[in-house]
Amino acid sequence: MKDLVSRCPIEEGMQVLGGRWPTLLIYYLKDGTKRFSDLRRDNPTVSHRILTLELRKLEKAGIVRRTSHEGYPLKVEYDLTPAGLTLVPLIDAIGDWWEGLHPDADVDGAEKQSAA
Amino acid sequence: MKDLVSRCPIEEGMQVLGGRWPTLLIYYLKDGTKRFSDLRRDNPTVSHRILTLELRKLEKAGIVRRTSHEGYPLKVEYDLTPAGLTLVPLIDAIGDWWEGLHPDADVDGAEKQSAA
DNA sequence: AGTAAATTACGAACATTTTTGTAACCGCGG
DNA sequence: CCGCGGTTACAAAAATGTTCGTAATTTACT
């Protein structure tokens, strides 16, 4: 997603939220403050480089806050900003919408038996 | 966005809506039925191949409906399904949220003079 | 006690994978 | 011969992953 093609706030917002990780990260941060390594452990499928990049992007967008503590061992904490918190119900709504549209359809192919 | 890392409906929904085009297309279709070439003209920055792909993805997701008319010259019409229509206010909400978070901040670098 | 190794949170270089674009082609009618 | 609405093959670009290195402190081991 290199650049925008319009000045639509929807497009701008989706550029930040659009990828695979942003909503996931927001969801993990919903539970409260997390350290970088916590987030790494929470979703091991994201590389630390991308995790860093995504967190920075969310930080720059004003969705998460990064708090770097001085001492050693290093400690950096991430949590949602107030704006990030207000976003949560909105992406929740999209989840609900999707769930209503595709009721319990498993996209991946697991759990084939529905009525046992 | 190759595959999902969770069975979260939010992630599944975002996988469909996530790119640059889906929300744009939904917005153009909000105005009513459009032909393929209309959509091409509406956003000339998308290649026709990707437009086809995106439209098909949205169709498969149940967001847009594709109606192929028989005769010649060819005529294919696209419009939002009821589910697609219910989605509109949700992505609107995201746009509003973003706008509230970044009030008239131009992300691109244009109109530098704010207080003339 | 002294040294190697792990942890912590990254940054940078390079490799791979995924996405998007380009160009050509299709059948057919105006 | 172009336009409609695509599809296919190939090419470019973008996203993501992998690996190595950093600074300082704790832990592990001998």
Side-chain angles (χ1 to χ4, degrees), chain B residues 25 28-29 32-42 51 55 67 69 71-79:
Chain B
L25 293 178
Y28 282 117
L29 290 174
T33 299
K34 297 256 187 174
R35 299 183 57 173
F36 183 80
S37 47
D38 292 333
L39 291 169
R40 287 225 48 183
R41 274 184 284 270
D42 282 338
L51 181 56
L55 251 14
T67 312
H69 296 271
Y72 278 90
L74 295 175
K75 184 175 180 183
V76 179
E77 289 183 320
Y78 293 90
D79 59 348

PDB file of all heavy atoms in Angstrom, chain B residues 25 28-29 32-42 51 55 67 69 71-79, chain D residues 3-6:
ATOM      1  N   LEU B  25     -14.013   1.155  -3.659  1.00  0.00           N
ATOM      2  CA  LEU B  25     -15.008   0.557  -4.545  1.00  0.00           C
ATOM      3  C   LEU B  25     -16.380   0.575  -3.897  1.00  0.00           C
ATOM      4  O   LEU B  25     -17.380   0.914  -4.533  1.00  0.00           O
ATOM      5  CB  LEU B  25     -14.604  -0.881  -4.889  1.00  0.00           C
ATOM      6  CG  LEU B  25     -13.344  -0.997  -5.739  1.00  0.00           C
ATOM      7  CD1 LEU B  25     -12.987  -2.453  -5.986  1.00  0.00           C
ATOM      8  CD2 LEU B  25     -13.530  -0.256  -7.059  1.00  0.00           C
ATOM      9  N   TYR B  28     -17.790   3.960  -4.272  1.00  0.00           N
ATOM     10  CA  TYR B  28     -18.315   4.292  -5.590  1.00  0.00           C
ATOM     11  C   TYR B  28     -19.622   3.553  -5.841  1.00  0.00           C
ATOM     12  O   TYR B  28     -20.543   4.081  -6.461  1.00  0.00           O
ATOM     13  CB  TYR B  28     -17.291   3.949  -6.670  1.00  0.00           C
ATOM     14  CG  TYR B  28     -16.196   4.981  -6.752  1.00  0.00           C
ATOM     15  CD1 TYR B  28     -14.883   4.665  -6.479  1.00  0.00           C
ATOM     16  CD2 TYR B  28     -16.501   6.295  -7.102  1.00  0.00           C
ATOM     17  CE1 TYR B  28     -13.887   5.618  -6.549  1.00  0.00           C
ATOM     18  CE2 TYR B  28     -15.509   7.252  -7.177  1.00  0.00           C
ATOM     19  CZ  TYR B  28     -14.205   6.904  -6.899  1.00  0.00           C
ATOM     20  OH  TYR B  28     -13.226   7.854  -6.970  1.00  0.00           O
ATOM     21  N   LEU B  29     -19.712   2.347  -5.330  1.00  0.00           N
ATOM     22  CA  LEU B  29     -20.922   1.549  -5.546  1.00  0.00           C
ATOM     23  C   LEU B  29     -22.071   2.016  -4.675  1.00  0.00           C
ATOM     24  O   LEU B  29     -23.232   1.696  -4.941  1.00  0.00           O
ATOM     25  CB  LEU B  29     -20.626   0.069  -5.296  1.00  0.00           C
ATOM     26  CG  LEU B  29     -19.725  -0.561  -6.354  1.00  0.00           C
ATOM     27  CD1 LEU B  29     -19.344  -1.973  -5.965  1.00  0.00           C
ATOM     28  CD2 LEU B  29     -20.427  -0.554  -7.707  1.00  0.00           C
ATOM     29  N   GLY B  32     -24.852   3.611  -6.395  1.00  0.00           N
ATOM     30  CA  GLY B  32     -25.760   2.821  -7.217  1.00  0.00           C
ATOM     31  C   GLY B  32     -25.000   1.882  -8.120  1.00  0.00           C
ATOM     32  O   GLY B  32     -23.790   1.699  -7.974  1.00  0.00           O
ATOM     33  N   THR B  33     -25.716   1.289  -9.022  1.00  0.00           N
ATOM     34  CA  THR B  33     -25.127   0.298  -9.918  1.00  0.00           C
ATOM     35  C   THR B  33     -24.123   0.945 -10.861  1.00  0.00           C
ATOM     36  O   THR B  33     -24.340   2.037 -11.370  1.00  0.00           O
ATOM     37  CB  THR B  33     -26.251  -0.364 -10.732  1.00  0.00           C
ATOM     38  OG1 THR B  33     -27.145  -1.017  -9.834  1.00  0.00           O
ATOM     39  CG2 THR B  33     -25.680  -1.379 -11.702  1.00  0.00           C
ATOM     40  N   LYS B  34     -23.020   0.238 -11.040  1.00  0.00           N
ATOM     41  CA  LYS B  34     -21.976   0.742 -11.926  1.00  0.00           C
ATOM     42  C   LYS B  34     -21.516  -0.383 -12.843  1.00  0.00           C
ATOM     43  O   LYS B  34     -21.508  -1.555 -12.447  1.00  0.00           O
ATOM     44  CB  LYS B  34     -20.774   1.209 -11.091  1.00  0.00           C
ATOM     45  CG  LYS B  34     -21.083   2.364 -10.167  1.00  0.00           C
ATOM     46  CD  LYS B  34     -20.541   3.658 -10.714  1.00  0.00           C
ATOM     47  CE  LYS B  34     -20.699   4.780  -9.689  1.00  0.00           C
ATOM     48  NZ  LYS B  34     -20.042   6.000 -10.151  1.00  0.00           N
ATOM     49  N   ARG B  35     -21.094   0.010 -14.011  1.00  0.00           N
ATOM     50  CA  ARG B  35     -20.521  -0.977 -14.917  1.00  0.00           C
ATOM     51  C   ARG B  35     -19.020  -1.060 -14.658  1.00  0.00           C
ATOM     52  O   ARG B  35     -18.421  -0.168 -14.049  1.00  0.00           O
ATOM     53  CB  ARG B  35     -20.772  -0.565 -16.365  1.00  0.00           C
ATOM     54  CG  ARG B  35     -22.227  -0.480 -16.684  1.00  0.00           C
ATOM     55  CD  ARG B  35     -22.436  -0.132 -18.138  1.00  0.00           C
ATOM     56  NE  ARG B  35     -21.770  -1.100 -19.023  1.00  0.00           N
ATOM     57  CZ  ARG B  35     -21.928  -1.092 -20.338  1.00  0.00           C
ATOM     58  NH1 ARG B  35     -22.703  -0.174 -20.913  1.00  0.00           N
ATOM     59  NH2 ARG B  35     -21.315  -1.978 -21.091  1.00  0.00           N
ATOM     60  N   PHE B  36     -18.456  -2.115 -15.148  1.00  0.00           N
ATOM     61  CA  PHE B  36     -17.021  -2.317 -14.956  1.00  0.00           C
ATOM     62  C   PHE B  36     -16.229  -1.107 -15.449  1.00  0.00           C
ATOM     63  O   PHE B  36     -15.374  -0.572 -14.746  1.00  0.00           O
ATOM     64  CB  PHE B  36     -16.578  -3.579 -15.696  1.00  0.00           C
ATOM     65  CG  PHE B  36     -15.139  -3.922 -15.498  1.00  0.00           C
ATOM     66  CD1 PHE B  36     -14.724  -4.566 -14.342  1.00  0.00           C
ATOM     67  CD2 PHE B  36     -14.187  -3.607 -16.451  1.00  0.00           C
ATOM     68  CE1 PHE B  36     -13.399  -4.895 -14.153  1.00  0.00           C
ATOM     69  CE2 PHE B  36     -12.852  -3.931 -16.266  1.00  0.00           C
ATOM     70  CZ  PHE B  36     -12.463  -4.575 -15.122  1.00  0.00           C
ATOM     71  N   SER B  37     -16.559  -0.659 -16.631  1.00  0.00           N
ATOM     72  CA  SER B  37     -15.803   0.459 -17.194  1.00  0.00           C
ATOM     73  C   SER B  37     -16.055   1.751 -16.427  1.00  0.00           C
ATOM     74  O   SER B  37     -15.186   2.618 -16.379  1.00  0.00           O
ATOM     75  CB  SER B  37     -16.146   0.631 -18.666  1.00  0.00           C
ATOM     76  OG  SER B  37     -17.540   0.583 -18.853  1.00  0.00           O
ATOM     77  N   ASP B  38     -17.224   1.875 -15.818  1.00  0.00           N
ATOM     78  CA  ASP B  38     -17.475   3.038 -14.964  1.00  0.00           C
ATOM     79  C   ASP B  38     -16.482   3.042 -13.806  1.00  0.00           C
ATOM     80  O   ASP B  38     -15.849   4.066 -13.512  1.00  0.00           O
ATOM     81  CB  ASP B  38     -18.892   2.983 -14.395  1.00  0.00           C
ATOM     82  CG  ASP B  38     -19.947   3.169 -15.475  1.00  0.00           C
ATOM     83  OD1 ASP B  38     -19.641   3.820 -16.495  1.00  0.00           O
ATOM     84  OD2 ASP B  38     -21.063   2.657 -15.306  1.00  0.00           O
ATOM     85  N   LEU B  39     -16.366   1.897 -13.173  1.00  0.00           N
ATOM     86  CA  LEU B  39     -15.460   1.793 -12.034  1.00  0.00           C
ATOM     87  C   LEU B  39     -14.023   2.046 -12.464  1.00  0.00           C
ATOM     88  O   LEU B  39     -13.246   2.646 -11.724  1.00  0.00           O
ATOM     89  CB  LEU B  39     -15.585   0.408 -11.394  1.00  0.00           C
ATOM     90  CG  LEU B  39     -16.926   0.166 -10.691  1.00  0.00           C
ATOM     91  CD1 LEU B  39     -17.076  -1.291 -10.318  1.00  0.00           C
ATOM     92  CD2 LEU B  39     -17.035   1.038  -9.453  1.00  0.00           C
ATOM     93  N   ARG B  40     -13.698   1.607 -13.642  1.00  0.00           N
ATOM     94  CA  ARG B  40     -12.361   1.876 -14.157  1.00  0.00           C
ATOM     95  C   ARG B  40     -12.127   3.374 -14.280  1.00  0.00           C
ATOM     96  O   ARG B  40     -11.084   3.897 -13.924  1.00  0.00           O
ATOM     97  CB  ARG B  40     -12.176   1.236 -15.537  1.00  0.00           C
ATOM     98  CG  ARG B  40     -12.033  -0.256 -15.490  1.00  0.00           C
ATOM     99  CD  ARG B  40     -10.905  -0.715 -16.376  1.00  0.00           C
ATOM    100  NE  ARG B  40      -9.700   0.078 -16.130  1.00  0.00           N
ATOM    101  CZ  ARG B  40      -8.573  -0.044 -16.790  1.00  0.00           C
ATOM    102  NH1 ARG B  40      -8.503  -0.915 -17.766  1.00  0.00           N
ATOM    103  NH2 ARG B  40      -7.539   0.683 -16.522  1.00  0.00           N
ATOM    104  N   ARG B  41     -13.122   4.044 -14.817  1.00  0.00           N
ATOM    105  CA  ARG B  41     -12.979   5.487 -14.992  1.00  0.00           C
ATOM    106  C   ARG B  41     -12.990   6.208 -13.648  1.00  0.00           C
ATOM    107  O   ARG B  41     -12.307   7.219 -13.464  1.00  0.00           O
ATOM    108  CB  ARG B  41     -14.087   6.012 -15.896  1.00  0.00           C
ATOM    109  CG  ARG B  41     -13.735   5.913 -17.375  1.00  0.00           C
ATOM    110  CD  ARG B  41     -14.825   6.525 -18.230  1.00  0.00           C
ATOM    111  NE  ARG B  41     -15.986   5.639 -18.317  1.00  0.00           N
ATOM    112  CZ  ARG B  41     -16.123   4.710 -19.263  1.00  0.00           C
ATOM    113  NH1 ARG B  41     -15.207   4.549 -20.185  1.00  0.00           N
ATOM    114  NH2 ARG B  41     -17.194   3.938 -19.283  1.00  0.00           N
ATOM    115  N   ASP B  42     -13.781   5.666 -12.721  1.00  0.00           N
ATOM    116  CA  ASP B  42     -13.859   6.306 -11.399  1.00  0.00           C
ATOM    117  C   ASP B  42     -12.505   6.325 -10.714  1.00  0.00           C
ATOM    118  O   ASP B  42     -12.124   7.308 -10.101  1.00  0.00           O
ATOM    119  CB  ASP B  42     -14.878   5.573 -10.514  1.00  0.00           C
ATOM    120  CG  ASP B  42     -16.306   5.955 -10.864  1.00  0.00           C
ATOM    121  OD1 ASP B  42     -16.493   7.037 -11.453  1.00  0.00           O
ATOM    122  OD2 ASP B  42     -17.220   5.182 -10.558  1.00  0.00           O
ATOM    123  N   LEU B  51      -8.644  -4.516 -10.540  1.00  0.00           N
ATOM    124  CA  LEU B  51     -10.051  -4.177 -10.356  1.00  0.00           C
ATOM    125  C   LEU B  51     -10.914  -5.428 -10.452  1.00  0.00           C
ATOM    126  O   LEU B  51     -11.780  -5.668  -9.611  1.00  0.00           O
ATOM    127  CB  LEU B  51     -10.463  -3.144 -11.407  1.00  0.00           C
ATOM    128  CG  LEU B  51     -11.908  -2.664 -11.320  1.00  0.00           C
ATOM    129  CD1 LEU B  51     -12.225  -2.106  -9.951  1.00  0.00           C
ATOM    130  CD2 LEU B  51     -12.190  -1.629 -12.402  1.00  0.00           C
ATOM    131  N   LEU B  55     -12.968  -6.878  -7.291  1.00  0.00           N
ATOM    132  CA  LEU B  55     -14.416  -7.029  -7.434  1.00  0.00           C
ATOM    133  C   LEU B  55     -14.847  -8.468  -7.162  1.00  0.00           C
ATOM    134  O   LEU B  55     -15.842  -8.725  -6.474  1.00  0.00           O
ATOM    135  CB  LEU B  55     -14.818  -6.616  -8.849  1.00  0.00           C
ATOM    136  CG  LEU B  55     -15.593  -5.312  -9.102  1.00  0.00           C
ATOM    137  CD1 LEU B  55     -15.608  -4.370  -7.912  1.00  0.00           C
ATOM    138  CD2 LEU B  55     -15.033  -4.605 -10.311  1.00  0.00           C
ATOM    139  N   THR B  67     -23.668  -8.654 -11.974  1.00  0.00           N
ATOM    140  CA  THR B  67     -24.739  -9.056 -12.865  1.00  0.00           C
ATOM    141  C   THR B  67     -24.233  -8.964 -14.298  1.00  0.00           C
ATOM    142  O   THR B  67     -23.952  -7.879 -14.798  1.00  0.00           O
ATOM    143  CB  THR B  67     -25.958  -8.132 -12.703  1.00  0.00           C
ATOM    144  OG1 THR B  67     -26.251  -7.996 -11.310  1.00  0.00           O
ATOM    145  CG2 THR B  67     -27.160  -8.719 -13.422  1.00  0.00           C
ATOM    146  N   HIS B  69     -24.887  -9.255 -18.124  1.00  0.00           N
ATOM    147  CA  HIS B  69     -25.991  -9.235 -19.089  1.00  0.00           C
ATOM    148  C   HIS B  69     -25.580  -9.969 -20.355  1.00  0.00           C
ATOM    149  O   HIS B  69     -24.425  -9.890 -20.786  1.00  0.00           O
ATOM    150  CB  HIS B  69     -26.381  -7.789 -19.400  1.00  0.00           C
ATOM    151  CG  HIS B  69     -26.912  -7.073 -18.198  1.00  0.00           C
ATOM    152  ND1 HIS B  69     -28.239  -7.073 -17.852  1.00  0.00           N
ATOM    153  CD2 HIS B  69     -26.278  -6.360 -17.234  1.00  0.00           C
ATOM    154  CE1 HIS B  69     -28.409  -6.371 -16.744  1.00  0.00           C
ATOM    155  NE2 HIS B  69     -27.227  -5.928 -16.342  1.00  0.00           N
ATOM    156  N   GLY B  71     -26.461  -9.903 -23.892  1.00  0.00           N
ATOM    157  CA  GLY B  71     -26.167  -9.422 -25.249  1.00  0.00           C
ATOM    158  C   GLY B  71     -24.810  -8.765 -25.472  1.00  0.00           C
ATOM    159  O   GLY B  71     -23.969  -8.694 -24.575  1.00  0.00           O
ATOM    160  N   TYR B  72     -24.635  -8.323 -26.678  1.00  0.00           N
ATOM    161  CA  TYR B  72     -23.461  -7.544 -27.037  1.00  0.00           C
ATOM    162  C   TYR B  72     -23.923  -6.133 -27.344  1.00  0.00           C
ATOM    163  O   TYR B  72     -25.046  -5.942 -27.827  1.00  0.00           O
ATOM    164  CB  TYR B  72     -22.784  -8.153 -28.255  1.00  0.00           C
ATOM    165  CG  TYR B  72     -21.882  -9.305 -27.905  1.00  0.00           C
ATOM    166  CD1 TYR B  72     -22.381 -10.600 -27.879  1.00  0.00           C
ATOM    167  CD2 TYR B  72     -20.564  -9.080 -27.575  1.00  0.00           C
ATOM    168  CE1 TYR B  72     -21.562 -11.657 -27.549  1.00  0.00           C
ATOM    169  CE2 TYR B  72     -19.737 -10.133 -27.253  1.00  0.00           C
ATOM    170  CZ  TYR B  72     -20.242 -11.425 -27.240  1.00  0.00           C
ATOM    171  OH  TYR B  72     -19.420 -12.471 -26.909  1.00  0.00           O
ATOM    172  N   PRO B  73     -23.111  -5.157 -27.065  1.00  0.00           N
ATOM    173  CA  PRO B  73     -21.788  -5.295 -26.448  1.00  0.00           C
ATOM    174  C   PRO B  73     -21.895  -5.744 -25.002  1.00  0.00           C
ATOM    175  O   PRO B  73     -22.929  -5.559 -24.364  1.00  0.00           O
ATOM    176  CB  PRO B  73     -21.217  -3.871 -26.531  1.00  0.00           C
ATOM    177  CG  PRO B  73     -22.374  -2.981 -26.725  1.00  0.00           C
ATOM    178  CD  PRO B  73     -23.473  -3.774 -27.321  1.00  0.00           C
ATOM    179  N   LEU B  74     -20.851  -6.308 -24.495  1.00  0.00           N
ATOM    180  CA  LEU B  74     -20.851  -6.859 -23.146  1.00  0.00           C
ATOM    181  C   LEU B  74     -21.276  -5.815 -22.132  1.00  0.00           C
ATOM    182  O   LEU B  74     -21.000  -4.633 -22.289  1.00  0.00           O
ATOM    183  CB  LEU B  74     -19.449  -7.364 -22.797  1.00  0.00           C
ATOM    184  CG  LEU B  74     -18.942  -8.545 -23.620  1.00  0.00           C
ATOM    185  CD1 LEU B  74     -17.509  -8.853 -23.244  1.00  0.00           C
ATOM    186  CD2 LEU B  74     -19.821  -9.755 -23.438  1.00  0.00           C
ATOM    187  N   LYS B  75     -21.944  -6.285 -21.103  1.00  0.00           N
ATOM    188  CA  LYS B  75     -22.392  -5.371 -20.060  1.00  0.00           C
ATOM    189  C   LYS B  75     -22.434  -6.120 -18.745  1.00  0.00           C
ATOM    190  O   LYS B  75     -23.177  -7.086 -18.599  1.00  0.00           O
ATOM    191  CB  LYS B  75     -23.775  -4.817 -20.409  1.00  0.00           C
ATOM    192  CG  LYS B  75     -24.267  -3.778 -19.433  1.00  0.00           C
ATOM    193  CD  LYS B  75     -25.584  -3.184 -19.900  1.00  0.00           C
ATOM    194  CE  LYS B  75     -26.094  -2.146 -18.927  1.00  0.00           C
ATOM    195  NZ  LYS B  75     -27.395  -1.612 -19.335  1.00  0.00           N
ATOM    196  N   VAL B  76     -21.623  -5.674 -17.830  1.00  0.00           N
ATOM    197  CA  VAL B  76     -21.580  -6.290 -16.509  1.00  0.00           C
ATOM    198  C   VAL B  76     -21.800  -5.197 -15.490  1.00  0.00           C
ATOM    199  O   VAL B  76     -21.129  -4.163 -15.533  1.00  0.00           O
ATOM    200  CB  VAL B  76     -20.236  -6.993 -16.257  1.00  0.00           C
ATOM    201  CG1 VAL B  76     -20.208  -7.594 -14.868  1.00  0.00           C
ATOM    202  CG2 VAL B  76     -20.011  -8.077 -17.309  1.00  0.00           C
ATOM    203  N   GLU B  77     -22.746  -5.422 -14.620  1.00  0.00           N
ATOM    204  CA  GLU B  77     -23.055  -4.394 -13.636  1.00  0.00           C
ATOM    205  C   GLU B  77     -22.697  -4.872 -12.229  1.00  0.00           C
ATOM    206  O   GLU B  77     -22.860  -6.047 -11.899  1.00  0.00           O
ATOM    207  CB  GLU B  77     -24.538  -4.031 -13.710  1.00  0.00           C
ATOM    208  CG  GLU B  77     -24.866  -3.255 -14.975  1.00  0.00           C
ATOM    209  CD  GLU B  77     -26.306  -2.835 -15.005  1.00  0.00           C
ATOM    210  OE1 GLU B  77     -27.178  -3.612 -14.602  1.00  0.00           O
ATOM    211  OE2 GLU B  77     -26.565  -1.697 -15.429  1.00  0.00           O
ATOM    212  N   TYR B  78     -22.264  -3.922 -11.437  1.00  0.00           N
ATOM    213  CA  TYR B  78     -21.908  -4.211 -10.055  1.00  0.00           C
ATOM    214  C   TYR B  78     -22.715  -3.308  -9.135  1.00  0.00           C
ATOM    215  O   TYR B  78     -22.875  -2.119  -9.409  1.00  0.00           O
ATOM    216  CB  TYR B  78     -20.422  -3.943  -9.814  1.00  0.00           C
ATOM    217  CG  TYR B  78     -19.509  -4.892 -10.547  1.00  0.00           C
ATOM    218  CD1 TYR B  78     -19.057  -4.614 -11.825  1.00  0.00           C
ATOM    219  CD2 TYR B  78     -19.104  -6.071  -9.945  1.00  0.00           C
ATOM    220  CE1 TYR B  78     -18.212  -5.488 -12.495  1.00  0.00           C
ATOM    221  CE2 TYR B  78     -18.259  -6.953 -10.610  1.00  0.00           C
ATOM    222  CZ  TYR B  78     -17.821  -6.659 -11.883  1.00  0.00           C
ATOM    223  OH  TYR B  78     -16.994  -7.521 -12.534  1.00  0.00           O
ATOM    224  N   ASP B  79     -23.183  -3.892  -8.063  1.00  0.00           N
ATOM    225  CA  ASP B  79     -23.783  -3.069  -7.017  1.00  0.00           C
ATOM    226  C   ASP B  79     -23.623  -3.748  -5.669  1.00  0.00           C
ATOM    227  O   ASP B  79     -23.222  -4.913  -5.595  1.00  0.00           O
ATOM    228  CB  ASP B  79     -25.257  -2.766  -7.316  1.00  0.00           C
ATOM    229  CG  ASP B  79     -26.075  -4.040  -7.438  1.00  0.00           C
ATOM    230  OD1 ASP B  79     -25.464  -5.133  -7.519  1.00  0.00           O
ATOM    231  OD2 ASP B  79     -27.298  -3.959  -7.454  1.00  0.00           O
TER     232      ASP B  79
ATOM    233  P    DG D   3     -11.069   2.786 -27.613  1.00  0.00           P
ATOM    234  OP1  DG D   3     -11.140   4.207 -27.236  1.00  0.00           O
ATOM    235  OP2  DG D   3      -9.896   1.971 -27.272  1.00  0.00           O
ATOM    236  O5'  DG D   3     -12.347   2.073 -26.993  1.00  0.00           O
ATOM    237  C5'  DG D   3     -13.663   2.542 -27.304  1.00  0.00           C
ATOM    238  C4'  DG D   3     -14.670   1.537 -26.790  1.00  0.00           C
ATOM    239  O4'  DG D   3     -14.638   0.371 -27.663  1.00  0.00           O
ATOM    240  C3'  DG D   3     -14.369   1.042 -25.373  1.00  0.00           C
ATOM    241  O3'  DG D   3     -15.536   1.126 -24.579  1.00  0.00           O
ATOM    242  C2'  DG D   3     -13.919  -0.397 -25.560  1.00  0.00           C
ATOM    243  C1'  DG D   3     -14.553  -0.806 -26.873  1.00  0.00           C
ATOM    244  N9   DG D   3     -13.764  -1.782 -27.619  1.00  0.00           N
ATOM    245  C8   DG D   3     -12.417  -1.746 -27.875  1.00  0.00           C
ATOM    246  N7   DG D   3     -11.998  -2.766 -28.565  1.00  0.00           N
ATOM    247  C5   DG D   3     -13.136  -3.531 -28.780  1.00  0.00           C
ATOM    248  C6   DG D   3     -13.305  -4.762 -29.465  1.00  0.00           C
ATOM    249  O6   DG D   3     -12.460  -5.444 -30.039  1.00  0.00           O
ATOM    250  N1   DG D   3     -14.632  -5.195 -29.436  1.00  0.00           N
ATOM    251  C2   DG D   3     -15.658  -4.512 -28.827  1.00  0.00           C
ATOM    252  N2   DG D   3     -16.853  -5.074 -28.903  1.00  0.00           N
ATOM    253  N3   DG D   3     -15.516  -3.364 -28.185  1.00  0.00           N
ATOM    254  C4   DG D   3     -14.240  -2.932 -28.199  1.00  0.00           C
ATOM    255  P    DC D   4     -15.491   1.006 -23.003  1.00  0.00           P
ATOM    256  OP1  DC D   4     -16.389   2.018 -22.431  1.00  0.00           O
ATOM    257  OP2  DC D   4     -14.075   0.935 -22.575  1.00  0.00           O
ATOM    258  O5'  DC D   4     -16.159  -0.405 -22.736  1.00  0.00           O
ATOM    259  C5'  DC D   4     -17.518  -0.629 -23.104  1.00  0.00           C
ATOM    260  C4'  DC D   4     -17.760  -2.108 -23.139  1.00  0.00           C
ATOM    261  O4'  DC D   4     -16.974  -2.683 -24.179  1.00  0.00           O
ATOM    262  C3'  DC D   4     -17.298  -2.802 -21.849  1.00  0.00           C
ATOM    263  O3'  DC D   4     -18.419  -3.128 -21.052  1.00  0.00           O
ATOM    264  C2'  DC D   4     -16.590  -4.081 -22.336  1.00  0.00           C
ATOM    265  C1'  DC D   4     -16.736  -4.029 -23.853  1.00  0.00           C
ATOM    266  N1   DC D   4     -15.479  -4.451 -24.530  1.00  0.00           N
ATOM    267  C2   DC D   4     -15.458  -5.624 -25.265  1.00  0.00           C
ATOM    268  O2   DC D   4     -16.492  -6.304 -25.359  1.00  0.00           O
ATOM    269  N3   DC D   4     -14.312  -6.012 -25.864  1.00  0.00           N
ATOM    270  C4   DC D   4     -13.211  -5.258 -25.751  1.00  0.00           C
ATOM    271  N4   DC D   4     -12.112  -5.666 -26.371  1.00  0.00           N
ATOM    272  C5   DC D   4     -13.217  -4.037 -25.000  1.00  0.00           C
ATOM    273  C6   DC D   4     -14.355  -3.682 -24.408  1.00  0.00           C
ATOM    274  P    DG D   5     -18.319  -3.283 -19.543  1.00  0.00           P
ATOM    275  OP1  DG D   5     -19.671  -3.463 -18.975  1.00  0.00           O
ATOM    276  OP2  DG D   5     -17.427  -2.220 -19.065  1.00  0.00           O
ATOM    277  O5'  DG D   5     -17.571  -4.692 -19.425  1.00  0.00           O
ATOM    278  C5'  DG D   5     -18.327  -5.883 -19.628  1.00  0.00           C
ATOM    279  C4'  DG D   5     -17.436  -7.093 -19.422  1.00  0.00           C
ATOM    280  O4'  DG D   5     -16.408  -7.095 -20.444  1.00  0.00           O
ATOM    281  C3'  DG D   5     -16.677  -7.085 -18.074  1.00  0.00           C
ATOM    282  O3'  DG D   5     -16.680  -8.409 -17.556  1.00  0.00           O
ATOM    283  C2'  DG D   5     -15.275  -6.668 -18.479  1.00  0.00           C
ATOM    284  C1'  DG D   5     -15.179  -7.355 -19.823  1.00  0.00           C
ATOM    285  N9   DG D   5     -14.098  -6.869 -20.675  1.00  0.00           N
ATOM    286  C8   DG D   5     -13.507  -5.632 -20.670  1.00  0.00           C
ATOM    287  N7   DG D   5     -12.550  -5.514 -21.556  1.00  0.00           N
ATOM    288  C5   DG D   5     -12.505  -6.757 -22.193  1.00  0.00           C
ATOM    289  C6   DG D   5     -11.668  -7.236 -23.231  1.00  0.00           C
ATOM    290  O6   DG D   5     -10.783  -6.645 -23.827  1.00  0.00           O
ATOM    291  N1   DG D   5     -11.962  -8.561 -23.570  1.00  0.00           N
ATOM    292  C2   DG D   5     -12.941  -9.311 -22.976  1.00  0.00           C
ATOM    293  N2   DG D   5     -13.086 -10.565 -23.422  1.00  0.00           N
ATOM    294  N3   DG D   5     -13.727  -8.878 -21.996  1.00  0.00           N
ATOM    295  C4   DG D   5     -13.450  -7.596 -21.657  1.00  0.00           C
ATOM    296  P    DG D   6     -16.303  -8.585 -16.034  1.00  0.00           P
ATOM    297  OP1  DG D   6     -16.462 -10.002 -15.683  1.00  0.00           O
ATOM    298  OP2  DG D   6     -17.042  -7.562 -15.288  1.00  0.00           O
ATOM    299  O5'  DG D   6     -14.741  -8.234 -16.003  1.00  0.00           O
ATOM    300  C5'  DG D   6     -13.788  -9.266 -15.745  1.00  0.00           C
ATOM    301  C4'  DG D   6     -13.579 -10.149 -16.974  1.00  0.00           C
ATOM    302  O4'  DG D   6     -13.277  -9.305 -18.080  1.00  0.00           O
ATOM    303  C3'  DG D   6     -12.418 -11.113 -16.868  1.00  0.00           C
ATOM    304  O3'  DG D   6     -12.869 -12.348 -16.374  1.00  0.00           O
ATOM    305  C2'  DG D   6     -11.934 -11.257 -18.316  1.00  0.00           C
ATOM    306  C1'  DG D   6     -12.480 -10.020 -19.003  1.00  0.00           C
ATOM    307  N9   DG D   6     -11.450  -9.094 -19.475  1.00  0.00           N
ATOM    308  C8   DG D   6     -11.274  -7.795 -19.058  1.00  0.00           C
ATOM    309  N7   DG D   6     -10.314  -7.182 -19.683  1.00  0.00           N
ATOM    310  C5   DG D   6      -9.818  -8.132 -20.560  1.00  0.00           C
ATOM    311  C6   DG D   6      -8.771  -8.057 -21.501  1.00  0.00           C
ATOM    312  O6   DG D   6      -8.040  -7.090 -21.737  1.00  0.00           O
ATOM    313  N1   DG D   6      -8.594  -9.257 -22.188  1.00  0.00           N
ATOM    314  C2   DG D   6      -9.341 -10.389 -21.988  1.00  0.00           C
ATOM    315  N2   DG D   6      -9.031 -11.445 -22.722  1.00  0.00           N
ATOM    316  N3   DG D   6     -10.338 -10.473 -21.122  1.00  0.00           N
ATOM    317  C4   DG D   6     -10.512  -9.317 -20.445  1.00  0.00           C
TER     318       DG D   6
END
